[in-house]
């Protein structure tokens, strides 16, 4: 199969693109769920979302941007999700699609920038469980900004002419 690279940036470029933002939004475009042991959780808790990106950054780059946080410092201010049922390898699966906005204003600026650096990994790493099977495709957006911050956000190009 032919694989085309949609974006190419190194780890330093991803970290350098980070800003100290007060809000980060995540759009779950394919069913997303989180695993803790043998249990599935549908809630996009901050520790599950940002923790996923931190884990992937550590696996791929060796060390993620430093940011100690817990769910008490990051607040969900908007939640508009739907439950989606699907199958994977003949087994029923459940996930969420929709959007969530995280308020980071209780964090110091350096930690907000570190979380934004982790969010820069979203187009590459997805979020949640079974990302290699197409689950957990996400897009990051910034509610306080009026224009998209990357070419990846907004309309996707399918290669078809209209």
């Amino acid at each position: 199969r032919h694989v085309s690279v949609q974006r190419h940036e190194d780890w330093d470029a991803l970290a350098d693109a980070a800003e100290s933002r007060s809000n980060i939004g995540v759009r779950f475009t394919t069913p997303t769920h989180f695993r803790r042991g043998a249990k599935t959780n549908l809630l996009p808790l901050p520790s599950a979302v940002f923790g996923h990106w931190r884990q992937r950054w550590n696996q791929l780059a060796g060390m993620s941007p430093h940011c100690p946080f817990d769910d008490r410092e990051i607040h969900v201010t908007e939640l508009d999700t739907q439950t989606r049922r699907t199958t994977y390898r003949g087994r029923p699966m459940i996930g969420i699609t929709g959007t969530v906005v995280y308020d980071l204003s209780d964090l110091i600026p350096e930690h907000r920038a570190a979380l934004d650096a982790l969010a820069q990994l979203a187009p590459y790493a997805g979020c949640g469980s079974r990302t290699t099977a197409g689950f957990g495709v996400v897009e990051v957006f910034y509610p306080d900004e009026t224009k998209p911050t990357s070419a990846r956000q907004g309309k996707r190009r399918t290669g078809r002419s209209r």
Side-chain angles (χ1 to χ4, degrees):
R1 295 183 179 181
H2 175 72
V3 176
S4 65
V5 175
Q6 299 297 314
R7 287 179 62 183
H8 175 73
E9 296 183 52
D10 62 21
W11 298 106
D12 290 334
L14 289 176
D16 289 344
E19 296 181 23
S20 178
R21 303 176 191 275
S22 60
N23 294 296
I24 293 179
V26 179
R27 184 173 295 110
F28 301 95
T29 59
T30 64
T32 304
H33 62 276
F34 305 92
R35 303 281 301 178
R36 183 169 286 171
K39 298 287 186 178
T40 297
N41 186 0
L42 298 181
L43 292 175
L45 298 172
S47 59
V49 173
F50 292 101
H52 174 87
W53 295 330
R54 179 173 23 205
Q55 179 185 20
R56 291 295 180 256
W57 196 303
N58 283 335
Q59 288 173 336
L60 299 171
M63 185 158 127
S64 63
H66 177 68
C67 179
F69 72 90
D70 63 33
D71 285 343
R72 294 174 294 182
E73 298 171 319
I74 302 172
H75 308 283
V76 174
T77 57
E78 293 180 35
L79 181 65
D80 182 12
T81 61
Q82 302 80 39
T83 303
R84 300 287 184 220
R85 296 181 189 278
T86 187
T87 59
Y88 175 68
R89 295 187 176 177
R91 299 180 66 189
M93 298 291 290
I94 190 167
I96 60 164
T97 57
T99 59
V100 63
V101 174
Y102 300 100
D103 176 7
L104 310 178
S105 61
D106 286 350
L107 298 170
I108 62 173
E110 293 82 15
H111 291 174
R112 285 187 277 172
L115 290 176
D116 188 44
L118 294 176
Q120 301 298 316
L121 188 60
Y124 308 99
C127 191
S129 185
R130 303 209 187 273
T131 56
T132 58
F135 293 93
V137 174
V138 296
E139 295 175 350
V140 172
F141 64 96
Y142 303 101
D144 294 340
E145 298 175 15
T146 57
K147 60 183 179 180
T149 58
S150 75
R152 175 101 169 103
Q153 296 172 343
K155 295 183 179 180
R156 292 186 178 180
R157 296 177 188 229
T158 61
R160 296 180 187 164
S161 59
R162 294 184 182 210

